[in-house]
Structures are given as C-alpha cells and as structure tokens.
Amino acid sequence: MSAINADPAELQKFSDLAHRWWDPASEFKPLHEINPLRLGWINGKADLAGKTVLDVGCGGGILAEGMASVGARVTGIDLSEKALSVARLHLFESGHSVDYRLVSAEAFAEEMPGHFDVVTCMEMLEHVPDPASTIAACARLVKPGGHVFFSTINRNIKAYLLAIIGAEYVLNMLPRGTHEYAKFLKPSELGRHCRNAGLDTHELIGMSYNPLTKVYSLGRDTDVNYLLHTRRG
C-alpha cells in the first residue's frame, strides 16, 4: 500500500460497513440525504446528460448512480473491493449503468488522461494521506475546459465541534472515528492544491445541517462542509 495514496485503516473502515451502503437508515444515511442536493448542484453547473463522468472514491455508488439517472455515462473508481461489489450488485436493483473499477485516481490518470467531461471527488479528500496527489490526478483525468467537483470538511474549531463531536458523539449520525480532524482541509488549502494542478475555481459553496429540522441546505456558510467547483484551464 505504500505506493498507493490510501490509508489501509480507512479502506478497512469503509469495507467493514460496505454491506450497509444502500440502507438509508444506516451509517450512510447522511450520504443518502445530501445526495439530491449535491447531485442537483453538480448537474446545474455541468449539465450531466450525455457527459462522460468519473466519480473518484465512489464507494457503494450513491452519487455515481445519481449521475447515471440524469443521463451521464458514469465510471466509478474506488480502492475498496467490498464497496465496489455492493455498488455492482445494486445496479441489478436500480437498472442504471455504471462502470465500476478497482483502481486509484493516480493510476487511472495514467491510463485515461484527459478523458472525462466531468470528474467528481466527494467526501474523500479528508480520508487520503496526500489530498494534493488526488486533486492532481483529477485534474489530469478531465478534459481541457472540463469540470471537477470536490467536497470536504473545513479545519477549524466549529468543524471539530460539529463534524466530529456533534455528528459522531452527540447525534450519532456517523460511526465514531469516521473523521480525523488533522485531515480536514481549509478552502484556502484546497484552492491552492487546485491552482497547482491547473484547475480554476468557479464556485465555493457551503453545506449546512439543521439538527432541529434535520434538513441539509447549500449556502454561504463554508465553516464545516463545503463544495468546490473548478474547471481545467
């Protein structure tokens, strides 16, 4: 694993939960709840119908299937064989078409440079040892002028209190140990990595959760969860 930009403990964590990926009441409930929001935002920026799309760190395929449902030709890559097996099985239930592959973003960038109209990398950067490497790979995978979308978690005291203490220990929305504070990325850091990779920032937007209404929304507050839309120059 030393040559691959992945943490074996992180892969094991998600592999152990893979069979629950499509259970909307499971540990993956937040992903099911935010998926319509992030899918609508991505589709509004990139008009996914007919586009060749790559989902990096696709896991069990929640976003990948969502993008396929609006007419995109989707490839999903991940390093968890168990998660990909669940994703492939779910296609029999949903009837969607997604090409799932067990490969790293960096290796796939060597194989398919400049191939995709759109690349998404959501809720993944905070789980890899070298996020800059993943970002650079995403930039190599997209066509010139193509869209690359990221989402991750800001690094500040509010993010620590809400994303870790609140979500994992108080509200029990996520399993304890899902996130490590030191791996969170400030928007300025993500922006710098994107610029270094040849990606131009087009929009930074926050995603917030209201624990009283239990509703997620997009807006100006990027203190905790945020999404970034970039394009390759």
Side-chain angles (χ1 to χ4, degrees):
M1 295 299 296
S2 60
I4 298 178
N5 182 25
D7 182 341
E10 292 280 355
L11 290 178
Q12 189 62 49
K13 184 191 304 180
F14 289 100
S15 292
D16 289 344
L17 296 171
H19 63 289
R20 297 171 61 82
W21 213 287
W22 282 95
D23 178 356
S26 73
E27 296 87 346
F28 297 104
K29 180 179 179 180
L31 286 184
H32 287 275
E33 292 182 337
I34 68 173
N35 199 55
L37 203 60
R38 62 184 183 176
L39 176 61
W41 180 71
I42 293 168
N43 195 29
K45 299 293 179 184
D47 189 14
L48 294 171
K51 298 289 200 313
T52 55
V53 178
L54 174 67
D55 188 22
V56 175
C58 63
I62 295 172
L63 178 60
E65 279 204 19
M67 293 190 291
S69 74
V70 294
R73 299 189 299 276
V74 184
T75 300
I77 63 172
D78 205 282
L79 289 173
S80 169
E81 183 58 73
K82 287 186 178 180
L84 290 174
S85 295
V86 169
R88 292 185 183 110
L89 279 173
H90 195 263
L91 293 176
F92 289 100
E93 181 178 328
S94 68
H96 294 307
S97 177
V98 180
D99 179 16
Y100 289 115
R101 303 193 190 188
L102 181 70
V103 64
S104 70
E106 290 84 355
F108 205 46
E110 294 295 322
E111 181 183 341
M112 305 285 279
H115 180 78
F116 296 93
D117 298 308
V118 179
V119 175
T120 60
C121 182
M122 318 298 278
E123 287 82 45
M124 178 187 162
L125 294 177
E126 67 272 21
H127 297 289
V128 298
D130 185 359
S133 176
T134 301
I135 293 162
C138 291
R140 292 196 301 273
L141 282 155
V142 77
K143 296 176 181 178
H147 303 262
V148 183
F149 297 91
F150 299 102
S151 68
T152 190
I153 304 175
N154 205 336
R155 190 176 70 255
N156 54 49
I157 189 63
K158 181 178 176 181
Y160 175 75
L161 291 174
L162 295 183
I164 295 182
I165 302 300
E168 297 182 18
Y169 290 85
V170 178
L171 299 177
N172 295 313
M173 294 170 64
L174 298 168
R176 295 182 181 186
T178 296
H179 294 116
E180 294 179 38
Y181 177 71
K183 292 184 176 180
F184 290 174
L185 276 174
K186 294 181 179 182
S188 59
E189 295 167 339
L190 177 54
R192 184 177 71 251
H193 293 322
C194 287
R195 288 193 300 274
N196 291 341
L199 297 173
D200 300 321
T201 294
H202 278 247
E203 184 179 27
L204 172 68
I205 191 167
M207 180 183 291
S208 301
Y209 177 74
N210 187 323
L212 298 179
T213 61
K214 298 183 178 180
V215 171
Y216 291 88
S217 60
L218 297 179
R220 297 175 62 183
D221 185 358
T222 60
D223 288 349
V224 185
N225 297 86
Y226 65 94
L227 304 93
L228 185 68
H229 171 214
T230 70
R231 298 190 74 166
R232 179 178 169 186

